[in-house]
Amino acid sequence: MAKPTIANVAQLAGVSQATVSRALRGATNVTEATRNKVRQAADQLNFTLSKSASALASGKTMRVILLVSGKLNEWFNSGVLQGVYEELAPFGYDVTPAFITDRSELDRFFSQLPKSRNSDAIIISSFQLMPAMREQLQAIDLPTVGVNVPAESGYFDASISIDNYSAMTMAVRLLRSLGHTNIAFCSDYIPADMIYNTSQRTQAFADAAQANATDGIMFSLLTADAHDAPLSKSDLASQLTAKLLSLPERPTAVCVETDQVAIALVKELRKQQLNVPEDISVLGFDDAEIAQAADLSTIRQEPIELGRIAGRKVLQLLRNEPLEHPHELQDPLLVLRNTTSRIDSGTATSE
Amino acid sequence: MAKPTIANVAQLAGVSQATVSRALRGATNVTEATRNKVRQAADQLNFTLSKSASALASGKTMRVILLVSGKLNEWFNSGVLQGVYEELAPFGYDVTPAFITDRSELDRFFSQLPKSRNSDAIIISSFQLMPAMREQLQAIDLPTVGVNVPAESGYFDASISIDNYSAMTMAVRLLRSLGHTNIAFCSDYIPADMIYNTSQRTQAFADAAQANATDGIMFSLLTADAHDAPLSKSDLASQLTAKLLSLPERPTAVCVETDQVAIALVKELRKQQLNVPEDISVLGFDDAEIAQAADLSTIRQEPIELGRIAGRKVLQLLRNEPLEHPHELQDPLLVLRNTTSRIDSGTATSE
DNA sequence: TTGTATGCGTTATCAT
DNA sequence: ATGATAACGCATACAA
């Protein structure tokens, strides 16, 4: 038989279509006896329910969209996907990933979003909230949960984000207690219409600097210059190194927005005859696999866990369960490895 | 309006439902004038076609399943996903990832596979062909393309795989021409019912060894012992190091099945006072991001490209286009960095 | 080129 | 607990 339908199963089992439907979906009001009959018949015919037909009839698509900024194979994004999948798959939900890398795609996606009846919920990861998005976001009647999004509630039904502010505060405190009094923060160049949430770290660092400004600590903010094309990590690193070394007083510690850049920076610094961590401490952000391989001290993010939490929130929303804490912040974790150390007093001035 | 249907659009545009359907899907037999009318009406109503309804009516789900072994956030898998997505998304296909980590899941998945009418095609990545799978695979009437699967055709309509044999041959040749005459291959422990295709590399190395056995080169195969739980990479590395150093004659070069393990091995070797690459060369496999960060010489695999090729094959299959070369092998690329070097004659004997 | 009518495979409402 | 039947929203064969 080419493609058995529910009718075939019903006939073979000697019951009605409705009963087959009920039996196969595990509805309560079916005798175990008939349920077994039906199951047997279904097995025999190699039958499974058609998701499309179910979706059409029930209004539930059993799919949730995961929209990420940047490519699907990026460390953070693929981790979130994994986490989301882990939570949703057991309940029969498919997760449909979508990714967006530039502004025009973003606009197009969001302008279509409110119309879409092709998923039951949508998870949005690591997007800055652009004005244009806000309207669209509110126009969606689907459950919407954010991952690593600005915590301003009202746009997402729920969200889970890394607490960047707490992270940078911890970082600054750590470096201070290691004796560092001249700390820099390196951020990648971020175009104005870009979408990543990482720029929040810059702000968080600035705030932390502000909070510690009184006790004579020096802070500097280093950013790569704008370019047409995105810089390679090593070009970026050498540019940042140059800026670092041309400061009036060379910092003894550097926070870097991303492990990748941090590692490139360490390489570049060593090339310039600066010892890491003896002469200068470097602290990354993420704790991706490479951080471990490179023995980089870093602030850990856990994308899989974020994805799981997001997945669970989706499930609750879908069941109309009230969320105790719709918007959560996750505390980051400092991972100390081999690129940070106590300041070597005496070496701290200049080269 | 809650959820506009095609009927609403038809009414607003003053045409029939059929015309709306045709216009919106870009069928040829529609006047540009009416198409515009329809588009306008659709925009105004915030209407998009329901995938479920389309799928039901047309028999095309516009989705393709990507099944991978191991987690979605693994380097290889997420790369393949990205590549597949890049090719399929522009044509309106959703890609639905699914992953499988153990044998029982695999059995369940494959036993359900033939029945499923929930996707138009299926891409299967990095699975060893188990006997049980073969039947199921043949029972599927969906287009099926494999990524990094054994090249035995007949089970997949198309496939694209890394040429492991060629890779290992290249690796052995390279090491030989660097003067190495005692070469080892390190593989992770792979349970008998496991699914990864990487074990093929072991075989390929054995074959390459065979082919070069005549001219006095020594080969050894090192495998981690079986354990209940999978070993951590560093535990694995220290175990392999121990085996390596307890060989009658210590090899001067080692191929390692995976970058991750290779890097851990390098660390362990250095801890044991062996200089890499001066005393011993290490060659990884994959060229994941960590390989670059760790300056590891390695054999490059390009998962994104593999995914793209698989995606294109799916598209062709879906269009019933004949494939010139349904089953392709991709030549690997040697990437020389800082863990391989010419043998230091004289140091080559023992520690 | 456009309209009419039917069917796609389920779920859900209402009976029984 | 089970059965009959009307949606669900669209695509397509056929007619005009």
Side-chain angles (χ1 to χ4, degrees), chain B residues 6 21 25 47 54:
Chain B
I6 208 171
S21 173
R25 282 178 303 135
F47 170 84
S54 300

Side-chain angles (χ1 to χ4, degrees), chain A residues 32-330:
Chain A
E32 267 314 299
T34 62
R35 193 192 298 281
N36 286 333
K37 252 196 321 193
V38 170
R39 281 211 183 111
Q40 233 176 312
D43 275 4
Q44 189 175 331
L45 293 179
N46 239 280
F47 170 85
T48 49
L49 291 170
S50 153
K51 267 196 180 175
S52 302
S54 300
L56 186 56
S58 70
K60 267 84 189 59
T61 65
M62 297 307 282
R63 315 189 202 260
V64 355
I65 291 179
L66 170 63
L67 177 68
V68 302
S69 61
K71 303 198 171 183
L72 291 171
N73 63 329
E74 287 171 17
W75 172 78
F76 186 82
N77 292 337
S78 65
V80 171
L81 172 59
Q82 170 69 23
V84 168
Y85 183 100
E86 286 176 12
E87 293 293 329
L88 295 185
F91 294 91
Y93 286 95
D94 284 344
V95 11
T96 306
F99 77 94
I100 280 179
T101 51
D102 68 35
R103 182 58 192 278
S104 67
E105 286 176 349
L106 185 129
D107 287 342
R108 191 152 37 83
F109 188 93
F110 272 86
S111 70
Q112 296 208 136
L113 206 47
K115 329 176 183 180
S116 166
R117 284 172 276 70
N118 298 320
S119 76
D120 295 338
I122 174 162
I123 300 174
I124 295 181
S125 172
S126 299
F127 283 91
Q128 204 66 270
L129 235 35
M130 314 298 296
M133 288 168 59
R134 297 173 194 252
E135 295 173 40
Q136 310 290 357
L137 228 38
Q138 287 185 314
I140 308 179
D141 52 353
L142 264 41
T144 307
V145 357
V147 175
N148 258 6
V149 292
E152 337 162 17
S153 53
Y155 295 103
F156 295 95
D157 298 312
S159 70
I160 172 70
S161 307
I162 274 279
D163 189 341
N164 279 311
Y165 186 83
S166 156
M168 293 319 297
T169 303
M170 281 175 59
V172 167
R173 284 206 194 118
L174 169 82
L175 294 173
R176 262 185 59 184
S177 74
L178 287 178
H180 296 276
T181 54
N182 187 349
I183 305 175
F185 180 82
C186 291
S187 78
D188 204 341
Y189 165 69
I190 296 180
D193 61 348
M194 269 302 260
I195 43 189
Y196 297 91
N197 156 274
T198 51
S199 60
Q200 198 192 336
R201 293 175 194 165
T202 308
Q203 185 58 48
F205 178 80
D207 289 354
Q210 190 83 38
N212 289 280
T214 46
D215 34 60
I217 304 188
M218 288 186 52
F219 291 96
S220 0
L221 226 60
L222 269 41
T223 310
D225 294 328
H227 281 80
D228 295 337
L231 259 51
S232 77
K233 296 306 172 198
S234 59
D235 286 350
L236 178 57
S238 62
Q239 194 184 119
L240 289 172
T241 302
K243 294 201 176 194
L244 205 57
L245 298 185
S246 59
L247 285 173
E249 258 184 281
R250 179 172 60 69
T252 59
V254 195
C255 297
V256 187
E257 200 189 290
T258 265
D259 284 346
Q260 269 190 48
V261 179
I263 289 169
L265 187 68
V266 168
K267 270 195 194 168
E268 184 64 28
L269 288 172
R270 287 181 174 152
K271 201 188 287 176
Q272 303 299 327
Q273 313 295 337
L274 281 173
N275 292 321
V276 178
E278 293 81 2
D279 296 333
I280 185 166
S281 287
V282 175
L283 188 61
F285 206 117
D286 277 352
D287 199 24
E289 244 179 7
I290 40 170
Q292 201 185 337
D295 246 337
L296 179 75
S297 295
T298 191
I299 300 172
R300 178 180 295 169
Q301 249 190 132
E302 298 188 315
I304 300 186
E305 184 58 20
L306 295 179
R308 284 196 195 115
I309 294 174
R312 272 178 245 138
K313 286 185 185 297
V314 165
L315 249 20
Q316 290 182 285
L317 253 15
L318 253 19
R319 295 176 188 134
N320 282 313
E321 290 174 11
L323 306 197
E324 344 62 77
H325 302 296
H327 300 280
E328 289 181 43
L329 281 181
Q330 213 190 42

